């Protein structure tokens, strides 16, 4: 005979509850027809697990129940790898009786009289164990985690499984999400606010979790879930594209607003996510939209000091001068928050060009003192110096040159300020620009400087000889 007793199961499942007394009962049956059997039970970790009857006697063909319990209350399940076990050792007891000390002596001396009948793994199960596993091993799963999860989840009902699914989704643990859905968790769950699991999956940043939920028939209500807002907040265009493809324009509106009246472009502007702004605008997002406070995306980008976002929004919107409900423009918000690197692009650059066009030297100097960029180009590639030369504003031209404006800056067609002055017949401007080093033989993209010779009677060679 290879064993004297038989356990009623191959492992002992112990339901674990945080901070509570946890125990589990199992049975051993004596297989001997005429002889009693002495039993010794030990755990591989006695400091954690204890047994009510470590030594016992079982009558012939009878069964005896045993209780395994945690030695101490705990907030965390004492999981180990490999799992803790109960070792069942037995020996025949012809007399059918023995004192406790006698049994201890019998099992303290190994030999052929002592059988090792079973090794029973201890499995901790229940929602608290699953919660612990998901929370602590989301990025570094335990070995054979899927099998472990399945075993642990055997003690969970559908409500527990769905609650655990939300946790796994929030942590971005795609393996746990898959196991929980397979175990019966409800992927179509909505919380008390009507929110589906998709927004939580987006926040986790794990694309595979989002895809798994969509594939598992998780549906959204965009006015509640605001999935594009969620994706915009973490700069994930891939999420936005996938969700639009999955749910379509009927369910997802690029211009939907949250409780503050902000659309996804507002959210991207607050965070400084230029790529998201570009994408939203490209599919019909409104960059001029004002929220409940009268703030446009440009107001937010300027307030936060996001230069690239401000530049992007200036290219696709026309709200630079729009005031919010507090009467503040984007420039005033930037100034209020000390974002001096935005002053030129939001205000002083425009003021500088305006001053140049009017030949208002006082305004031009003030703009320069306030940080206006002398060489910033407009949508046509013109610098303030181009405008001064084109308009023949000699006083402004001189101020710009004195403060270091680039004399031969070129526009989109390769024209310099000298080309502009010559084309309009402004001889004084031509002379001043040449005096500051403008190259008279610099070609535009379309050819040479023929317009200078055509509109201004001036011998450049003689002029250079006189200067020499």
């Amino acid at each position: 005979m290879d064993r004297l007793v038989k356990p009623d199961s191959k492992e002992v499942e112990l339901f674990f509850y945080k901070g509570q007394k946890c125990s589990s009962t199992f049975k051993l049956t004596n297989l001997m027809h005429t002889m009693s059997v002495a039993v010794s039970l030990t755990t591989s970790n006695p400091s954690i697990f204890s047994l009510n009857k470590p030594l016992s006697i079982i009558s012939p063909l009878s069964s005896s129940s045993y209780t395994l319990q945690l030695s101490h209350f705990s907030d965390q399940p004492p999981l180990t790898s490999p799992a803790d076990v109960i070792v069942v050792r037995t020996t025949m007891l012809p007399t059918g009786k023995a004192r406790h000390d006698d049994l201890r002596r019998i099992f303290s001396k190994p030999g052929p009289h002592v059988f090792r009948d079973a090794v029973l793994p201890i499995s901790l199960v229940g929602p608290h164990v699953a919660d612990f596993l998901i929370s602590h091993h989301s990025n570094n799963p335990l070995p054979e985690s899927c099998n472990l999860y399945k075993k642990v989840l055997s003690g969970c009902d559908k409500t527990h499984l769905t609650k655990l699914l939300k946790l796994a989704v929030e942590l971005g643990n795609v393996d746990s999400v898959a196991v929980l859905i397979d175990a019966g968790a409800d992927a179509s769950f909505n919380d008390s606010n009507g929110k589906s699991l998709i927004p939580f999956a987006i926040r986790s940043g794990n694309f595979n979790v989002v895809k798994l939920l969509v594939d598992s028939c998780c549906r959204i209500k965009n006015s509640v879930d605001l999935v594009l807002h969620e994706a915009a907040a973490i700069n994930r265009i891939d999420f936005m594209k996938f969700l639009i493809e999955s749910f379509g324009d009927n369910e997802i509106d690029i211009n939907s607003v949250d409780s503050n009246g902000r659309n996804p472009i507002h959210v991207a502007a607050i965070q400084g996510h230029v790529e998201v702004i570009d994408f939203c605008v490209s599919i019909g997002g409104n960059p001029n939209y004002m929220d409940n406070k009268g703030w446009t995306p440009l107001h937010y980008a300027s307030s936060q000091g996001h230069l690239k976002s401000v530049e992007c929004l200036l290219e696709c919107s026309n709200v630079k001068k729009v005031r919010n409900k507090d009467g503040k423009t984007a420039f005033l918000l930037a100034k209020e928050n000390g974002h001096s690197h935005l002053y030129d692009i939001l205000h002083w650059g425009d003021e500088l060009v305006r001053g140049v066009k009017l030949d208002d030297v006082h305004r031009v100097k003030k703009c320069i003192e306030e940080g206006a960029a002398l060489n910033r180009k407009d949508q046509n590639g013109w610098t303030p110096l181009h405008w001064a030369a084109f308009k023949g504003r000699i006083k402004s031209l001189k101020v710009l040159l004195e403060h270091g404006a680039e004399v031969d800056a070129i526009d989109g067609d390769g024209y310099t300020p000298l080309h502009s002055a010559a084309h309009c017949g402004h001889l004084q401007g031509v002379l001043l620009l040449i005096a500051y080093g403008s190259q008279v033989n610099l070609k535009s993209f379309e050819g040479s400087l023929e317009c200078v010779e055509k509109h201004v009677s001036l011998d450049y060679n003689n002029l250079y000889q006189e200067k020499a």
Side-chain angles (χ1 to χ4, degrees), residues 152-443:
V152 167
L153 296 177
S154 64
C156 302
D157 60 23
K158 187 169 184 176
T159 301
H160 285 139
L161 290 171
T162 302
K163 184 177 179 180
L164 292 167
L165 176 61
K166 184 173 182 290
L167 173 62
V169 167
E170 290 174 334
L171 293 172
N173 188 335
V174 67
D175 291 336
S176 296
V177 170
V179 171
L180 286 161
I181 291 175
D182 287 344
D186 183 10
S188 62
F189 164 81
N190 294 98
D191 67 12
S192 57
N193 297 313
K195 233 180 232 308
S196 74
L197 291 172
I198 298 289
F200 302 101
I202 294 171
R203 290 175 205 170
S204 78
N206 191 324
F207 182 87
N208 290 328
V209 172
V210 175
K211 188 175 185 306
L212 180 57
L213 288 174
V214 172
D215 291 343
S216 300
C217 300
C218 181
R219 308 306 299 171
I220 64 168
K221 185 178 180 182
N222 194 53
S223 60
V224 177
D225 291 321
L226 296 169
V227 292
L228 297 186
H229 290 69
E230 297 284 357
I234 61 172
N235 201 25
R236 293 296 295 270
I237 296 174
D238 55 338
F239 283 169
M240 301 178 90
K241 291 179 179 177
F242 174 72
L243 291 166
I244 291 171
E245 291 172 359
S246 299
F247 295 108
D249 295 337
N250 292 332
E251 293 188 56
I252 297 183
D253 179 7
I254 186 60
N255 288 309
S256 59
V257 296
D258 60 16
S259 59
N260 296 307
R262 299 171 188 162
N263 66 17
I265 301 178
H266 282 95
V267 176
I270 292 170
Q271 301 296 331
H273 298 324
V274 181
E275 298 84 355
V276 173
I277 295 172
D278 271 335
F279 173 73
C280 290
V281 171
S282 72
I283 61 173
N286 184 1
N288 299 320
Y289 195 82
M290 290 187 287
D291 68 6
N292 298 344
K293 299 191 301 180
W295 286 47
T296 67
L298 182 63
H299 283 95
Y300 283 106
S302 302
S303 176
Q304 297 297 320
H306 299 309
L307 175 59
K308 295 298 183 183
S309 294
V310 168
E311 290 175 339
C312 175
L313 288 164
L314 287 175
E315 291 179 3
C316 62
S317 65
N318 55 359
V319 293
K320 186 186 288 190
K321 298 178 183 178
V322 170
R323 296 179 181 272
N324 62 21
K325 290 185 177 180
D326 294 325
K328 295 177 181 178
T329 62
F331 166 73
L332 290 175
L333 289 170
K335 191 172 183 180
E336 187 177 89
N337 290 283
H339 301 310
S340 57
H341 61 292
L342 299 179
Y343 294 175
D344 172 69
I345 192 172
L346 289 172
H347 181 70
W348 292 119
D350 292 339
E351 285 295 303
L352 177 59
V353 173
R354 191 174 296 111
V356 166
K357 289 179 179 179
L358 297 173
D359 211 18
D360 184 341
V361 174
H362 175 73
R363 182 184 290 191
V364 170
K365 288 182 177 179
K366 177 176 173 58
C367 291
I368 294 173
E369 290 170 0
E370 292 290 346
L374 291 176
N375 300 309
R376 186 171 66 86
K377 297 179 179 181
D378 62 17
Q379 64 271 22
N380 299 311
W382 275 29
T383 66
L385 199 64
H386 278 92
W387 281 108
F390 177 73
K391 293 284 188 179
R393 308 308 192 203
I394 303 304
K395 289 186 291 184
S396 295
L397 192 67
K398 186 175 181 180
V399 171
L400 293 170
L401 290 168
E402 287 175 346
H403 283 81
E406 185 181 347
V407 69
D408 281 327
I410 60 172
D411 68 5
D413 296 318
Y415 283 90
T416 67
L418 182 59
H419 286 87
S420 299
H423 183 81
C424 294
H426 300 310
L427 177 58
Q428 283 185 282
V430 170
L431 293 174
L432 186 58
L433 287 164
I434 292 174
Y436 273 85
S438 182
Q439 300 179 50
V440 297
N441 60 348
L442 188 65
K443 294 182 178 181

Side-chain angles (χ1 to χ4, degrees), residues 1 4 32 35-38 90-95 106 113-115:
M1 179 176 291
L4 304 179
M32 302 294 290
M35 192 173 297
S36 296
V37 172
T90 59
T91 188
M92 288 182 286
L93 195 63
T95 62
I106 291 172
H113 64 288
V114 176
F115 294 82

Side-chain angles (χ1 to χ4, degrees), residues 132-143:
F132 178 83
L133 283 173
I134 294 169
S135 299
H136 290 76
H137 302 282
S138 58
N139 296 319
N140 184 26
L142 290 173

